[in-house]
Each structure stands twice: as C-alpha cells, then as structure tokens.
Amino acid sequence: MQKRRRIGAYGIAHDEQGRLLLVRSSARSNFPGVWFLPGGGLEHGEDPAAAVVREFREETGLTARITGLREVTSDLVEFPWRGVLLHHDRIIYDMTVTGGELTVETDGTSDLPAWVEPARLGSLDLIPFAAHTLGLAATGPASGQRPASPDEAGEMGPDGRDLGGARKVARFGAYGVVTDPAGRVLLSLIAENYPGAGKWHLPGGGTDFGETPPIGLVREVFEESGQVGEVTELIRVNSTHNPAAMGPEGEPYDWYVVRAVYRVVVPEPTVPSVTEAAGGSTAQARWFTPDELVDIPLTESAHRELRHIS
C-alpha cells in the first residue's frame, strides 16, 4: 500500500442561533454524502490561514475571518480501492462569518453547505476527524465506498514529490519554544548544507508518517538535544515557501514547510547532546539565557517566536 501525505486547513463557525456550519461531500469526493467542516487541502506554498478563508468561500459562498487556532491533528485514512494509506495533517481554526450567502459549490468536492442545529449533529454521518474535533462519536464514512472520480488534490508522495512528479517538496513539522524551570531556552544549530545553516533554530522537525505533532515534537527534541520535554500549549501555525531552496545534496527544491509551534517544558534539563544519527540537520544544541539570545544568529522563525523572551 502506498503511503501519501496531505496538509489541510478547516474552520469551525457558528451563527447567532448557535448552529454549526458544515458541508456535504459530493459524488466527486472520496466519501460522497459524508459531512465535514469547511476546508480542504493546501495548495503548494499557500499559507494555512489564507487557505481556510479560500476554502470557506469556495465551498459555502461565505466570507469569513479567523478568530482563533483550535488545534492541529493528524489521522490516517485508508483508500483500499486505490491502494493508498493517507496521513492527513489538519489545522483547525475558529472562524466568524462576515458576509456572503450560502451557495452550492459547482463541480467540486462538496455539494451542499448548511447551518446545522447542535441537536442534529449526532444523527449526521460525519467524517471522523470532524466528529473528533466536535467531541462526538465517529460513525465514519463507509471505507469500501468508491467515488466515481476521487479527489487527489494536495496529496504528496512518500518521496516529497507531488503527484504530477514536479520537484516540489512539502513538509509538515512540529517545533517548540522549549524552556526549563530556570527560564532558559533550548535551541538547535542548523548543520552545514541545510537551509539556514549556521543559525540557531527552534527544536523540532518533520513529523513521521502516522505520527501526531506533539509526539513528533517530543521525539525531535530528544533526538536533537537529549532532553525529555512535555508539550503544554499550541502557540501558532506558520508556513515558509522557498521555490529556490538548496537541499543537502546540492539539488534545488521548491521547498514548502508548514509548522505547528508549541510551548514545551523540560522539567529536568541536562547538558544538551545531539542523539540523532550522524549526518542530520542539527549540528549541536544549547541552553541560552534570555540575555544571550540577543547576540546569536537566529532563523526568522526562531526570532519571531522568541521576541517576547529576549
């Protein structure tokens, strides 16, 4: 069975009567007739926040703005008729509708948007991730149901190439603002021949297939520094797109990274030591006091997340 990955952004919106906005999957989708939260796969290089606003407009006809970040989840979905096991990273936002009228998407993967009363949610056939997000028991779509024309937009092959074979690399990663009880910050130095070489970066990296972001982050922190961390809070999601990045083999890539950033606490810090296999992207790891952060070269992402500390 082929392993593929997809990154998606979805939104939760209620109206003044407390009804929830949902959309129904069309005959072109992987699971026709199943209800899900408005949203879908990110286009290559697209910021997740922009993607969820776009998806709202395309699937419902409504304009909306983001009011908060709800959670970041991941799940595995099997498509036996295609021989595919899909790892889906999902970013869930809280949304407020600002205008427009409910409009059916034409020739798309949804065929009906609707405001649904809370009492009706339990009777709907909800996609499992939506049921989980809403705190409901997942009835789930019929796994044996085969759509007439399955949607493959946004799916990534196991080698990082898109399904068209272009040299595009999409990566989903989990990173941490990692601190200890003394208020020190843990950072990782990017090794030579990797994007950002010589700069200090937030510990973290790409999540493995089938791995949730918090679990992946704890693993990455240990591999890069030997520290055992505890994830305490989701801070934000950001993205970076570099269409002319250079990989470690000297080969150019259209590099697109979506990052979930968390707060992580290390209750019992030790002297950092890189434990990942030789040849990794981390040259070393160190604890820094807030005053020391001012004088070291930071990646843009690390600088953005640590401004309130330094």
Side-chain angles (χ1 to χ4, degrees):
M1 181 161 295
Q2 298 180 34
K3 295 180 179 180
R4 295 178 181 165
R5 295 191 68 159
R6 187 181 193 186
I7 306 173
Y10 302 83
I12 295 177
H14 293 87
D15 66 4
E16 294 179 352
Q17 287 77 45
R19 297 177 300 177
L20 176 70
L21 183 61
L22 294 176
V23 289
R24 188 179 65 188
S25 300
S26 73
R28 291 194 60 208
S29 71
N30 287 309
F31 300 105
V34 174
W35 292 84
F36 62 98
L37 297 171
L42 275 59
E43 297 175 358
H44 189 80
E46 187 176 32
D47 183 78
V52 71
V53 171
R54 171 183 58 77
E55 289 281 350
F56 252 70
R57 184 176 62 253
E58 292 175 355
E59 294 179 346
T60 70
L62 302 175
T63 58
R65 62 181 176 86
I66 294 172
T67 57
L69 176 61
R70 174 71 64 99
E71 65 176 323
V72 178
T73 67
S74 63
D75 55 76
L76 295 174
V77 181
E78 186 174 352
F79 303 97
W81 60 86
R82 289 159 54 191
V84 170
L85 181 62
L86 178 65
H87 172 126
H88 205 145
D89 295 297
R90 306 182 194 266
I91 304 158
I92 316 295
Y93 294 96
D94 289 311
M95 310 285 291
T96 294
V97 172
T98 57
E101 296 183 0
L102 283 181
T103 304
V104 174
E105 182 181 21
T106 59
D107 197 30
T109 56
S110 67
D111 61 13
L112 179 65
W115 291 104
V116 179
E117 293 83 2
R120 287 188 55 215
L121 291 175
S123 64
L124 295 181
D125 190 8
L126 291 171
I127 201 81
F129 93 87
H132 169 79
T133 300
L134 298 172
L136 301 171
T139 55
S143 60
Q145 186 175 14
R146 179 172 182 169
S149 178
D151 168 35
E152 295 184 341
E155 294 178 15
M156 293 294 161
D159 61 352
R161 293 190 175 122
D162 69 7
L163 295 180
R167 201 56 178 172
K168 296 178 179 178
V169 178
R171 186 187 198 195
F172 185 89
Y175 294 81
V177 176
V178 184
T179 58
D180 71 357
R184 296 182 301 172
V185 178
L186 182 69
L187 294 176
S188 301
L189 182 65
I190 301 175
E192 293 183 5
N193 299 321
Y194 284 86
K199 293 185 178 181
W200 292 91
H201 192 40
L202 299 178
T207 56
D208 289 342
F209 191 89
E211 192 174 48
T212 65
I215 290 176
L217 178 53
V218 170
R219 172 185 55 76
E220 286 281 346
V221 169
F222 182 78
E223 290 177 354
E224 295 179 6
S225 67
Q227 309 301 297
V228 178
E230 299 174 0
V231 176
T232 62
E233 179 186 4
L234 175 63
I235 301 175
R236 77 185 86 256
V237 172
N238 59 48
S239 65
T240 300
H241 181 213
N242 183 354
M246 193 64 66
E249 296 84 13
E251 184 177 357
Y253 293 96
D254 184 345
W255 186 255
Y256 172 48
V257 181
V258 177
R259 303 182 184 90
V261 183
Y262 296 84
R263 296 191 193 280
V264 180
V265 174
V266 176
E268 300 180 3
T270 61
V271 176
S273 175
V274 179
T275 64
E276 62 183 341
S281 59
T282 301
Q284 62 172 292
R286 263 187 62 189
W287 288 106
F288 292 91
T289 66
D291 291 341
E292 291 173 325
L293 296 176
V294 178
D295 299 321
I296 61 173
L298 297 170
T299 63
E300 181 180 346
S301 177
H303 176 72
R304 179 170 56 247
E305 301 301 337
L306 299 175
R307 279 180 298 185
H308 66 287
I309 294 178
S310 57

